[in-house]
Amino acid sequence: MHEFSIVNALLEMCEKNAKEHNATKITKVEIKIGKLSGVEPYLLQTAFDTFKEETICAEAEFIVHLQEIVIHCENCHNEVTLTHNEFVCPTCNSTDLRVIDGEEMYLMHLEME
């Protein structure tokens, strides 16, 4: 499970941001995970809850936003959010697509005290 290593890196990033802003604790961690990122939100939540103990995030609320897959059709230049993992443009049926959102994971927001 690579979710554990992701949470470890996330906690390190939180610690670094807290030090830069002279914060003593983090109360909220908000992330965005793309459906194509390969990260399982439930496993990430479990890993965060397990490893946050005895860190600056010990009392933090963990919020995950799941990002749908957004594609750009190179044929008709339409941008569409896919409802299924069918990589075909719903406008022109082209398969000449570029994914423009839904592959990454981002730290969106931290609340600190």
Side-chain angles (χ1 to χ4, degrees):
M1 278 191 265
H2 67 287
E3 284 78 6
F4 293 116
S5 61
I6 291 170
V7 165
N8 186 45
L10 180 60
L11 290 170
E12 287 175 5
M13 190 181 310
C14 290
E15 183 80 31
K16 179 182 176 201
N17 276 284
K19 284 181 183 177
E20 288 174 2
H21 293 90
N22 298 317
T24 57
K25 77 176 182 178
I26 293 178
T27 57
K28 186 187 285 185
V29 178
E30 201 167 343
I31 65 168
K32 177 175 97 169
I33 300 174
K35 283 191 169 184
L36 292 177
S37 68
V39 177
E40 291 292 331
Y42 172 76
L43 295 176
L44 195 67
Q45 177 75 54
T46 301
F48 185 84
D49 291 342
T50 300
F51 290 111
K52 73 178 185 176
E53 299 302 319
E54 299 182 27
T55 72
I56 199 160
C57 295
E59 298 173 29
E61 176 184 14
F62 189 61
I63 299 172
V64 175
H65 298 278
L66 194 57
Q67 173 62 47
E68 297 293 331
I69 303 163
V70 181
I71 55 103
H72 172 85
C73 178
E74 299 294 344
N75 187 48
C76 70
H77 304 289
N78 197 14
E79 287 186 9
V80 180
T81 299
L82 299 179
T83 55
H84 304 290
N85 282 0
E86 296 174 2
F87 291 87
V88 175
C89 177
T91 304
C92 71
N93 291 322
S94 173
T95 56
D96 188 11
L97 310 173
R98 179 172 39 95
V99 176
I100 57 175
D101 205 353
E103 294 181 304
E104 300 84 14
M105 182 179 125
Y106 295 107
L107 173 59
M108 295 175 59
H109 181 77
L110 286 179
E111 286 185 14
M112 301 178 247
E113 293 180 0

